[in-house]
Structure formats: C-alpha cells, structure tokens
Amino acid sequence: MSADRPLALLGACPVYQPTPLTGAPDLARALGLAGLWVKDETARMQLGSFKALGGAFAVVQMILDRAGVSDPRAPEAVAVASDLTFVTASAGNHGLSVAAGAKIFGANAAILLPAAAPEAFATRIRGKGAEVIRVDGSYEDSVAEAIRLAEAGGWLHLADGSWPGYTAPPALVLEGYMVLAEECRQSFASLGTWPSHVVVQAGVGGLAAALAAHIRATWPRQPEIVVVEPDAAPCLMQSLKAGKLTPAEGPVSIMGRLDCKEASMLAFESLRDTADTFVTISDAQATEAVRALAQAGIATTPSGAAGMAALRLLDLPADATCLIVASEGPEDA
C-alpha cells in the first residue's frame, strides 16, 4: 500500500496542498528535547482533520471501482455515484470526510453520530448535504447501527475500522492516510534530517498504522514509534497484550475521536509489527497538552494534542528529536 493512488486523485483537487510540518523549538526546550516537529492537520483540505484524506478517497475509489473507470468525471462514474448511498458511524471527522467525498462526487451519505459527538460536527456534516442520524449510545453502538442500515437499505458501509470479513473499505481509508505519511517523508528529506521518535495517537488505529507502515517501508532513518491511546480506551494496548483483538472498557473520554473501545483489525495487525511502544494518557494530561500547543500557535483538541501529552510521560534522551501530529482543529471550527 502506498500514497500513489490517493495522491494522483488529489492532484486534481483544488483544495489539496500538503499540511505544514512545523518546528517547535520552544516546546522542545521546555520538554528537554533536542528537537520537535508538529505535523499540523488542523486545516487539512478545509475539513480540519487528517481524516479528510481517508473517507473522501475511499468514496471516490469505490465509485471508480464500480464504474470500471479511472476518471471520476467520466459519465460511467457519475451515473454510478448518483445511485450510491454511503453510510458510516463516526465520532465526527471520518463522517465529515465521507460526507464531503459523497457531495463532491455526486453520491449520497448517511452519517451516524454517537451521543457524545459534538453537535458542531453534526452541523458541519449536514452542511455537506449528508443525513445525520444520532444514535443513543457509544461509538460502537453507532457502528452496529450503520451495519444494520447498510444491510437493510442496500447502502455501502464505509467504516474506518475493520474486523474479520470486513477489510476492503477500511483498507482504502488507510491508503488515503498514506498521503500524510508521504508528506512527512518528503518534508524530512528536504530538511536533510529525520526524527529519532515518532509519537502518534490512535483511536481505532488507522492513522498510526498508516504512518508506521510508511515509515518502516520508506524512511532511511528508522525512528522509535510510540502509539498513544486514552487511558479510558486502550484497545490496541490490550489487544497487543492479549495477542488478539480485545475490546477495552472504560468511561467516556474527552478525547472523543480517540475514545474507541475496539481496535481496527487491519491497524492492530500492522501496528504489532511496526510500533515499538504503546502508552496511555489521561484526560487531564491531554487538556494540558492543548494549552501547550496553543502557546506554539496550534489550536487543537485533546484528541489532537495526544502526542504532545505523551511526550511529557516518555523518558526520552536529551538528544531526542520527535515528530507529533496535531490531528484535528477545534471542534467548532
């Protein structure tokens, strides 16, 4: 899996441009590090999250695959898209990406949001022309309802998580996330330096899996890769300890986009081979990290600041140089 296909499609997208890789020397000094870079996804493609790369790419690729063409503007693709409805559960950002992709390419979308998802996401998703369906329950309850609606209505289920028997659509989402990883590779190659540590957050695990896999396959200097989860939802860590997919249990976390109790099978299978360390952070630690990143001019959420929070917990050497991802902008942006 590489970034080639999504980059080829994004090349024709007027709102696509690589997001900044920003040096944060003041934060590095405060943390006792030799260097710190922040991959800033807070304004990605006017959707405000790295997830803009995954859901939208999966939508258009599924349309193209069904139409048997390579150009989404081809009459065959337009005709196929008009008859399709994509459905997915989301804590916000993945649903926004699917909704945007469906609108751009002429399909329909229904996005299921759990009770804890902010209404600001619902408003933005409706603004993309998608139907929003609220589910009185958790993210996992929303996934179950999306599966039911897809089967009942003949809709296309486009989740960013995966499980036995359901891997093809989420694999496309992961492929889209490879664009972020390739942008990082190109940026560091231009700088002529590479981080010693990459610290990346995980919900179901898609971003972490895509970034780690790309690093292992393409970077000339191999860093230590640290995966960060909320202490209320350490589904990857628990699955790693158990040697198989294992749901996590815990209270609702303020890290809403990371508060996933069940890991993606594809992400778990990849990360157990590519990641070095798994750590958890508390809501309080994530909140403090939001303030720290704000001082560096990056406005994000507790989910987006999870990598920053983990840096405070890791016993890193003084010569460590680190990459973190500010994965989303403010919820009401």
Side-chain angles (χ1 to χ4, degrees), residues 50-175:
F50 77 93
K51 292 206 169 186
L53 296 167
F57 168 70
V59 165
V60 65
Q61 194 60 55
M62 290 170 76
I63 292 169
L64 294 175
D65 289 345
R66 280 160 177 73
V69 296
S70 59
D71 185 351
R73 297 163 296 184
E76 298 92 335
V78 173
V80 166
S82 66
D83 288 333
L84 296 180
T85 295
F86 292 89
V87 60
T88 189
S90 175
N93 285 319
H94 174 64
L96 186 59
S97 181
V98 171
K103 181 178 182 180
I104 291 168
F105 298 108
N108 302 301
I111 311 301
L112 281 69
L113 297 180
E119 184 60 23
F121 279 117
T123 300
R124 294 172 66 194
I125 289 167
R126 292 187 188 102
K128 298 299 180 184
E131 179 185 4
V132 172
I133 301 171
R134 282 286 189 176
V135 175
D136 185 16
S138 66
Y139 171 78
E140 287 71 29
D141 294 327
S142 299
V143 172
E145 179 64 5
I147 294 170
R148 188 192 70 79
L149 289 175
E151 293 174 348
W155 296 349
L156 288 178
H157 185 211
L158 179 46
D160 57 352
S162 58
W163 47 86
Y166 182 78
T167 58
L172 291 174
V173 175
L174 283 176
E175 189 176 349

Side-chain angles (χ1 to χ4, degrees), residues 1 4 6 14-15 66 82 95 104 115 132 145 178 231 332:
M1 188 184 297
D4 291 348
V15 299
R66 280 160 177 73
S82 66
I104 291 168
V132 172
E145 179 64 5
M178 288 285 179
D231 59 10
D332 57 355

Side-chain angles (χ1 to χ4, degrees), residues 120-316:
F121 279 117
T123 300
R124 294 172 66 194
I125 289 167
R126 292 187 188 102
K128 298 299 180 184
E131 179 185 4
V132 172
I133 301 171
R134 282 286 189 176
V135 175
D136 185 16
S138 66
Y139 171 78
E140 287 71 29
D141 294 327
S142 299
V143 172
E145 179 64 5
I147 294 170
R148 188 192 70 79
L149 289 175
E151 293 174 348
W155 296 349
L156 288 178
H157 185 211
L158 179 46
D160 57 352
S162 58
W163 47 86
Y166 182 78
T167 58
L172 291 174
V173 175
L174 283 176
E175 189 176 349
Y177 296 162
M178 288 285 179
V179 170
L180 182 154
E182 173 60 15
E183 289 175 1
C184 288
R185 188 199 65 78
Q186 292 180 13
S187 294
F188 285 119
S190 296
L191 291 169
T193 188
W194 302 85
S196 62
H197 294 75
V198 173
V199 183
V200 58
Q201 55 268 61
V204 298
L207 170 62
L211 183 55
H214 192 273
I215 287 170
R216 295 304 185 220
T218 67
W219 284 24
R221 176 183 175 184
Q222 287 294 301
E224 181 174 341
I225 298 176
V226 180
V227 177
V228 187
E229 297 179 280
D231 59 10
C235 56
L236 285 162
M237 180 183 288
Q238 290 194 6
S239 296
L240 186 71
K241 290 179 179 178
K244 61 180 181 179
L245 283 174
T246 303
E249 294 184 0
V252 174
S253 170
I254 64 170
M255 289 173 271
R257 262 62 64 211
L258 305 183
D259 189 16
C260 303
K261 311 301 188 189
E262 297 182 19
S264 165
M265 182 182 73
L266 291 175
F268 166 65
E269 291 178 347
S270 178
L271 286 167
R272 66 183 175 186
D273 295 327
T274 56
D276 296 294
T277 306
F278 292 76
V279 300
T280 61
I281 58 171
S282 69
D283 284 357
Q285 289 163 339
T287 299
E288 176 57 33
V290 170
R291 289 192 284 266
L293 284 174
Q295 293 173 358
I298 298 174
T300 187
T301 66
S303 297
M308 178 66 192
L311 286 177
R312 298 177 182 274
L313 306 178
L314 298 171
D315 185 18
L316 298 177

